[in-house]
Amino acid sequence: MLGGGNPLGGSNPAGIGSTLNYIGKFVYANSGTFEAKNSEQTLLSFTTGSETIVGKLNCYGQVNFSDPGAGGITTWQLSLNSEVVAVLRIDTAALDMSLPDFINVIIPPFTKVDLKALSNENTPDEKLTAMLTGEVY
């Protein structure tokens, strides 16, 4: 499908949001940007279809486009069917940059996937984001 989006449903041609998007045998989910908050936020939340997904989850720690020296700590929690299967921690203040941290994932059919983030401070000007890319089998 030209321009991305979800040919199986939804009306999001840019593919940004909490849902999973299919293009042929490939899948992706872009969270879009979220403000750094010290309260739990759900960046991705979807249920897979009848296929297995093999892919990679990239999490990008908080950064401030207007102030490249800013940063903080973000923790991430990936759950499959309400079971936590992975946690990550990204410290962009110490690194002074936002390198993605990633994990390889295998997601079984008909699985509820949730990715949550929690930052160490409320900083509306600092944004974080996540992306899942993969292939269906």
Side-chain angles (χ1 to χ4, degrees):
M1 178 173 168
L2 289 175
N6 184 351
L8 299 179
S11 59
N12 186 2
I16 295 175
S18 63
T19 61
L20 188 63
N21 299 277
Y22 292 79
I23 301 177
K25 67 178 188 170
F26 299 102
V27 296
Y28 70 98
N30 291 316
S31 69
T33 58
F34 280 71
E35 294 179 0
K37 291 186 179 179
N38 64 357
S39 58
E40 189 176 277
Q41 302 182 83
T42 300
L43 276 70
L44 299 174
S45 182
F46 55 84
T47 300
T48 62
S50 60
E51 60 282 313
T52 297
I53 297 172
V54 177
K56 182 167 72 169
L57 174 67
N58 286 289
C59 299
Y60 298 85
Q62 63 195 71
V63 294
N64 184 334
F65 188 76
S66 300
D67 181 4
I73 298 170
T74 307
T75 56
W76 304 83
Q77 177 178 286
L78 177 66
S79 298
L80 302 181
N81 291 330
S82 300
E83 287 291 327
V84 176
V85 297
V87 291
L88 302 169
R89 179 181 185 270
I90 300 173
D91 185 348
T92 55
L95 293 175
D96 200 22
M97 67 181 99
S98 180
L99 295 174
D101 202 349
F102 72 90
I103 58 169
N104 294 314
V105 294
I106 298 175
I107 305 172
F110 307 111
T111 297
K112 175 77 169 104
V113 177
D114 291 297
L115 177 67
K116 297 179 180 183
L118 176 67
S119 298
N120 67 331
E121 57 192 349
N122 286 316
T123 313
D125 292 335
E126 292 182 12
K127 309 294 184 193
L128 49 105
T129 187
M131 172 187 261
L132 172 77
T133 56
E135 198 169 333
V136 295
Y137 292 92

